[in-house]
Amino acid sequence: MNQVQLGSSDLRVTPVCLGTMTFGEQVDEATSHAILDRSLERGINFLDTAEMYAVPARAETFGATESIIGNWLARDNGLTPTQLALAFCYTQWQVASTIIGVTSVAQLDEDLDAYGTTLDAGVLEAFDKIRWEIRDPAL
C-alpha cells in the first residue's frame, strides 16, 4: 500500500487508518491481534485509538483498546517504533484519513480490497437524498 506524508512531519503513513474502536468490546483480544497482524501484512502502518475506546463507551472498557494494542506491540512483530503510527484521538478530533473499523479479518480484507473504489454519481446522489430524509432527532 502506498504511503503519504502525515501533515508537516517526516512521518509517512498509509492513507487508510485502521480504527480500533471495536477492540475490547465488540472484538476480543485474540481476534484483535489477528486483525492487527493482517493489517500489517496488508501494509497498514497507521492505527487510530482514543482514550474512550472501546465503543460503545463504558467505564468498564475505557482503555481496553490501548491495552490490546500494547499487548500486540509487546510481541515481536518485527516493528521499530518509527514503522507504526498511532493516532491517539482525545474526545474531539478531526482526521483527514480513511478510517476503517472492522470486527474480523475477513471484513478487513474486504474493506481494503474495496479501498479506492469510486462510486458512481447516481449512487452518491441516492446516499445524499437518504441523508437528508433521515434526520437525527438530536439535531
Side-chain angles (χ1 to χ4, degrees):
M1 183 169 290
N2 66 327
Q3 295 184 350
V4 296
Q5 184 175 345
L6 183 63
S8 60
S9 76
D10 291 332
L11 188 60
R12 298 195 58 81
V13 297
T14 51
V16 174
C17 179
L18 177 64
T20 60
M21 71 289 289
T22 59
F23 296 3
E25 179 72 37
Q26 301 166 46
V27 180
D28 64 27
E29 185 157 355
T31 303
S32 299
H33 286 196
I35 290 168
L36 289 164
D37 289 340
R38 179 61 61 84
S39 68
L40 192 61
E41 289 168 12
R42 297 284 306 256
I44 293 176
N45 75 338
F46 194 12
L47 305 178
D48 164 52
T49 187
E51 91 289 352
M52 65 170 285
Y53 289 173
V55 173
R58 296 183 312 123
E60 299 82 15
T61 59
F62 278 175
T65 297
E66 291 170 333
S67 293
I68 289 170
I69 293 171
N71 291 338
W72 179 76
L73 288 171
R75 297 178 6 201
D76 182 9
N77 295 303
L79 291 171
T80 66
T82 59
Q83 290 175 300
L84 188 67
L86 295 176
F88 293 98
C89 299
Y90 183 74
T91 309
Q92 295 183 354
W93 51 274
Q94 295 180 351
V95 177
S97 177
T98 301
I99 297 178
I100 56 172
V102 300
T103 57
S104 70
V105 171
Q107 185 182 13
L108 173 70
D109 284 335
E110 182 179 308
D111 288 355
L112 289 176
D113 290 343
Y115 174 72
T117 301
T118 303
L119 297 177
D120 123 335
V123 172
L124 294 175
E125 287 174 19
F127 283 144
D128 193 51
K129 183 178 179 195
I130 291 168
R131 179 176 66 96
W132 289 107
E133 289 175 359
I134 302 172
R135 302 293 282 172
D136 183 343
L139 295 178

